[in-house]
Amino acid sequence: MIKINFFKKSIYLLLALLLAFTACKEDEVIPEDEQDNEDSDSLVSKTVNVLIFHEGGFQANNATIGSYNPENQEYDPTVYRNENGNFIGDVQQSVLSNSGFYYSVLNGSNSVKVLDSATLSLSTTIEGETIDKPRAIAISGDKGYLSNWGPYNDDFGLSDSRILTIDLNDNSVTGSIDTEEGLEDVQIVGNTLLATRHYFGSYQHLTFINIDNNEIINDIELPAGPEEILMDTSGNAWVVCNSGALVKIDVENASIAETVQLGAEIYGDADIFDNAIYFLQNNEVKAYDLSSKSINSVATIKEIQTPYAFGIDPENGDIYIGDGVDFSDGGTVLIYSAEGELINEFVSGILPTQFVFETELQVFEEEEED
């Protein structure tokens, strides 16, 4: 049976905090700039590449990006280093795709690396004295919103968490929004910024912020372990809680619209495919159907040590799982088909933390009838 990743990460962090360790991975991202499918029988959208982002070891400055080709099942662990000549930094926390760039949030390096999404070449680095243990970034227009744990106090608690605002025209930090402590994932819905807070069980809240005036609207309590924020195809926001709940959010009224209890703890990352929320619970991948509101088993997976990344190929439903193993050596990536069959398994970089699926439109000529 798989031990839920929140517990493993908590134990790892608490031990490592004694050596001033900062953080582990939370969020997962879905590319925002995928091409639109045109109405044509000869055009098919297909995943041609899967980028695998890795945290690397704390203070080892060896976070990296690998590339997996699902067609020939080949993995290249060095695509970022081949392009840039070095590792990306220390503790690659989360990644967001936006307008032709990847924004890589580096928790240990206290920076955000901006990469050209076509080549992975480093475009610029967002830095500043106020960036301190950043967690995730959300973007609206030419503005970025970076969740920031801030400094530790004497007991390794937090005392100055905030959202940092970034001008993406010159990639400078322009200000901040004071919040309560323990910020995690961030997501923008209309003119509202949603931010989960939990800091390894210290909090279980969701903060609502009006980005028109940068004022906090509300801060509400959720089930324990709120981590990732997902958007479904109808534009509804869902918070994934590792205690075993999916929470639908009423953004307009800054409240909870619905809570779905899943019966047991889950891994804190999830994904949406074919109008269902997919999640990892023990050694099973399950799906909560948003229409029928039923929970179905999709795949039974091999026993893994440290669940650390989870994603669904948006084109065919293939399931990608990253196992952090022992936090220091290479991790493992397992790939299952939408029908639950193991497709591939290989050693990746240290702590595979996030999958990004790159797709393209492919043209197929129709055969003429004789």
Side-chain angles (χ1 to χ4, degrees):
M1 178 179 292
I2 295 170
K3 296 292 287 183
I4 298 301
N5 116 295
F6 171 70
F7 174 76
K8 283 182 175 277
K9 287 185 181 179
S10 296
I11 295 299
Y12 178 64
L13 182 72
L14 290 174
L15 291 173
L17 278 177
L18 299 176
L19 300 174
F21 178 65
T22 57
C24 293
K25 176 259 176 187
E26 294 289 335
D27 294 315
E28 172 189 11
V29 71
I30 298 174
E32 297 178 356
D33 53 347
E34 295 175 349
Q35 299 179 29
D36 294 330
N37 291 332
E38 300 176 11
D39 293 330
S40 171
D41 292 335
S42 62
L43 290 179
V44 176
S45 184
K46 182 179 180 181
T47 297
V48 295
N49 189 45
V50 182
L51 293 177
I52 305 174
F53 295 82
H54 303 86
E55 276 192 7
F58 176 66
Q59 291 187 334
N61 202 41
N62 61 354
T64 188
I65 303 171
S67 176
Y68 176 75
N69 184 323
E71 185 171 351
N72 60 28
Q73 298 187 0
E74 292 183 354
Y75 172 63
D76 180 356
T78 60
V79 288
Y80 179 85
R81 280 184 286 162
N82 290 344
E83 179 65 29
N84 298 279
N86 53 17
F87 292 97
I88 192 169
D90 188 41
V91 187
Q92 189 166 216
Q93 184 74 29
S94 61
V95 181
L96 176 70
S97 176
N98 184 78
S99 300
F101 293 98
Y102 291 126
Y103 291 80
S104 170
V105 178
L106 294 159
N107 181 270
S109 297
N110 290 326
S111 63
V112 179
K113 295 287 182 71
V114 184
L115 314 177
D116 184 302
S117 61
T119 64
L120 291 185
S121 62
L122 178 61
S123 174
T124 190
T125 300
I126 302 173
E127 299 175 296
E129 292 182 359
T130 54
I131 300 180
D132 190 347
K133 295 180 281 298
R135 304 297 289 176
I137 189 171
I139 291 175
S140 177
D142 60 359
K143 295 181 179 179
Y145 299 86
L146 182 68
S147 59
N148 201 59
W149 269 3
Y152 293 129
N153 58 29
D154 292 340
D155 298 320
F156 293 106
L158 301 176
S159 59
D160 193 20
S161 296
R162 58 184 60 206
I163 299 289
L164 301 180
T165 56
I166 298 170
D167 183 347
L168 299 182
N169 294 305
D170 60 8
N171 292 299
S172 63
V173 178
T174 57
S176 66
I177 305 169
D178 290 337
T179 66
E180 296 297 324
E181 313 309 330
L183 294 167
E184 296 294 343
D185 196 17
V186 284
Q187 182 71 250
I188 293 174
V189 184
N191 67 341
T192 302
L193 175 70
L194 305 178
T196 53
R197 299 195 296 113
H198 86 81
Y199 190 58
F200 302 97
S202 297
Y203 314 97
Q204 54 187 76
H205 293 76
L206 179 69
T207 301
F208 299 75
I209 300 171
N210 185 332
I211 60 175
D212 290 337
N213 55 22
N214 290 346
E215 293 184 358
I216 293 178
I217 302 168
N218 201 2
D219 185 78
I220 64 173
E221 185 171 338
L222 299 179
E227 294 195 39
E228 186 179 18
I229 305 171
L230 296 175
M231 299 299 299
D232 67 24
T233 55
S234 298
N236 299 307
W238 292 81
V239 177
V240 181
C241 299
N242 62 35
S243 58
L246 301 173
V247 182
K248 184 178 180 180
I249 302 302
D250 182 343
V251 177
E252 184 177 356
N253 294 303
S255 61
I256 295 174
E258 177 185 357
T259 301
V260 179
Q261 297 293 345
L262 304 176
E265 292 181 333
I266 64 173
Y267 174 57
D269 284 354
D271 209 347
I272 290 183
F273 174 74
D274 199 20
N275 202 40
I277 299 177
Y278 283 66
F279 58 93
L280 182 60
Q281 187 174 60
N282 296 322
N283 65 332
E284 277 190 286
V285 176
K286 297 181 179 180
Y288 172 70
D289 189 292
L290 294 170
S291 298
S292 66
K293 298 188 176 183
S294 61
I295 300 174
N296 305 301
S297 179
V298 178
T300 299
I301 68 168
K302 297 174 61 174
E303 182 176 352
I304 61 178
Q305 290 181 244
T306 311
Y308 221 76
F310 182 84
I312 306 296
D313 186 327
E315 300 304 321
N316 60 18
D318 285 353
I319 303 160
Y320 286 68
I321 299 168
D323 183 356
V325 188
D326 60 3
F327 292 93
S328 59
D329 297 317
T332 301
V333 171
L334 300 97
I335 304 171
Y336 289 81
S337 71
E339 293 72 37
E341 299 296 324
L342 181 64
I343 296 173
N344 200 3
E345 177 181 356
F346 55 89
V347 176
S348 69
I350 299 172
L351 296 176
T353 190
Q354 195 165 324
F355 303 106
V356 171
F357 302 92
E358 299 183 317
T359 63
E360 68 178 27
L361 292 177
Q362 298 191 340
V363 179
F364 296 89
E365 294 183 2
E366 298 179 359
E367 296 182 0
E368 295 183 2
E369 297 182 359
D370 294 334

